[in-house]
Amino acid sequence: MTRFKRIVLAALATTATLGVSSTASAADFICQPTPGACTFDGTTGGIVQTIAKDTTSTDRFYFTVATAGDFLFNWTTTSLSLFSASFDGGSAFAPVFGQNYSFSVASAGTYFLEVTSQNGTTHNASFVTSADFAAVPEPAVWGMMIGGFGLAGLTLRASRRKAAALA
């Protein structure tokens, strides 16, 4: 299933689950590959959060990864103001819609994205955040790749020498 389809399914599930919307001012979400406010399968997913009218909300979304790598987040919304976001307790920043934000993690574990948003409109509004994760190859993988390239080069060189000797 593509990332877009997952985000749309998550949005529909959230709307159906919340009905009109939740007026809670803070919530924690565990991201899993099942539809909900937050989905994440270890490499891709997203957040679809609906904020009730005239409400400010701070929500925390937890992502679990099996290896070191880089997270990439991108926000889209209509009608909402995103005051701040922070990754795993780091420095807060004001997200700009459509801009990518990258965060490196040094090891496997659970990390969180905290988002504070305000809906100053007269109707419920949502924001969507795509979440992608690219694993960084471990040193053993790099060693195997370099060794493989070396063996391929030696094989190519040997076959050229054999062809030159036969000619």
Side-chain angles (χ1 to χ4, degrees):
M1 183 180 297
T2 66
R3 177 175 49 163
F4 177 74
K5 286 181 182 177
R6 277 190 224 157
I7 291 172
V8 170
L9 282 174
L12 292 173
T14 300
T15 303
T17 302
L18 297 177
V20 174
S21 182
S22 171
T23 57
S25 62
D28 287 350
F29 300 93
I30 304 298
C31 299
Q32 297 173 346
T34 57
C38 185
T39 61
F40 186 71
D41 65 5
T43 58
T44 188
I47 301 165
V48 179
Q49 181 63 336
T50 301
I51 309 299
K53 62 183 179 179
D54 296 321
T55 302
T56 298
S57 178
T58 300
D59 301 304
R60 190 175 274 191
F61 304 93
Y62 290 90
F63 300 87
T64 301
V65 294
T67 185
D70 295 315
F71 275 102
L72 183 68
F73 296 103
N74 188 308
W75 279 266
T76 56
T77 188
T78 57
S79 307
L80 287 179
S81 297
L82 292 180
F83 285 138
S84 70
S86 66
F87 183 75
D88 210 39
S91 298
F93 59 95
V96 175
F97 305 124
Q99 183 173 332
N100 289 327
Y101 295 89
S102 180
F103 303 95
S104 294
V105 296
S107 63
T110 300
Y111 300 89
F112 66 89
L113 178 69
E114 188 169 273
V115 181
T116 300
S117 56
Q118 180 187 32
N119 182 356
T121 67
T122 58
H123 59 280
N124 296 338
S126 299
F127 69 82
V128 176
T129 306
S130 64
D132 293 312
F133 183 77
V136 175
E138 294 188 20
V141 173
W142 281 105
M144 287 178 25
M145 281 188 342
I146 292 168
F149 286 131
L151 288 174
L154 287 173
T155 303
L156 184 60
R157 186 174 182 157
S159 65
R160 285 186 184 165
R161 283 186 180 167
K162 185 176 182 181
L166 294 175

